[in-house]
Amino acid sequence: MAGMSTHTRRRLSDAPFLAAATGAEPSRRPVWFMRQAGRSLPEYRELRKGIGMLESCFDPELVCEITMQPVRRHGVDAAILFSDIVVPLKAAGVDLDIVPGVGPVVAQPVRTVADVRALPRLRPEEVGAVSEGVRLLTAALGTTPLIGFAGAPFTLASYLVEGGPSKHHERTKAMMYADPETWHALLGLLTDVTIAFLRAQIEAGVDALQLFDSWAGALSAADYRRYVLPHSERVFAELAASGLPRIHFGVGTGELLGAMGEAGADVVGVDWRVPLDEAARRVGPGKALQGNLDPAVLFAGYDAAATQTRRILDEADAAKALGATGHIFNLGHGVLPDTDPGVLTALVQLVHEL
């Protein structure tokens, strides 16, 4: 399999996004937006009418078209695969659905060691539709890199243990503290699932990887290091041989930036709460940073968003002076559903001009 993929991988060394991610000098400051594919675009809402979220994630033609829409509209420097972090769990056979307005809901939450043992492994052919979507995209994208992604083991575990999205992660933390053996068994299995999902994307031709630890910000630094870091480290270590840039991102993770940097990614994503120069101090030199405009600022109109964008670019330059190897402009979290797409398009032009 690995041999097969080397022939199809595009040579994109001049792509600004890949240059910034790997410590080279990009021809312009690269910009893309988390959740750029989807809810804020009228053409996306039109396309998805009457089609469930998970259903669309397993339709290669839809995956390709939805991923392409923001690239066509905004002129961003990278595409991110349209998918969902629970896709590999669903593909492996976990009974779950994405409920509109709620998020992923798991029919049988995982609470005991027996529940963990009963969880299925992921076989690459079970995400064949995703791999096919990637192949269609690498043909359609030209010189624009494609970012593959997966949810990190902790965030997947929280969905499985809580049975859905959670404010306080109380059941997750209860398992972590009361039954660390079962906890580590669960995270070990989810690490395998995450690696298998990302490997399938690598072999299909993605150009970079992002691991989303959406809920890691619920943890203290000490707990993150003890209960989560070893598993995230293994994801990055086992994908190192691909040679692809690896991005690590979480929300509310300002206190964890140092530890998340240690997990092994080449690029650390920063949410809007911590300025990029301060993030560079926490992460330490030798890694690129990605971020970090507050998604809510886009609702204040273009002028306000442009002012904030200029501030972030200044902070990014200060971060580089402190040893960050590059900067990829992004939001500090995903595009919110009611965002005006015109503001995003204008911001891409602004970042490219500055």
Side-chain angles (χ1 to χ4, degrees), residues 17-18 41 95 99 131 211 219 228 239 262 284 295 308 325 344 346:
F17 164 79
L18 294 173
L41 299 182
D95 186 0
V99 178
S131 299
L211 191 68
L219 299 173
V228 177
L239 300 173
E262 288 167 32
Q308 296 295 321
T325 56
L344 288 173

Side-chain angles (χ1 to χ4, degrees), residues 4 78 93 121 154 157 174 208 253 265 274 311:
M4 181 192 85
R121 304 274 167 169
F154 173 77
T253 48
V274 179
R311 171 185 60 79

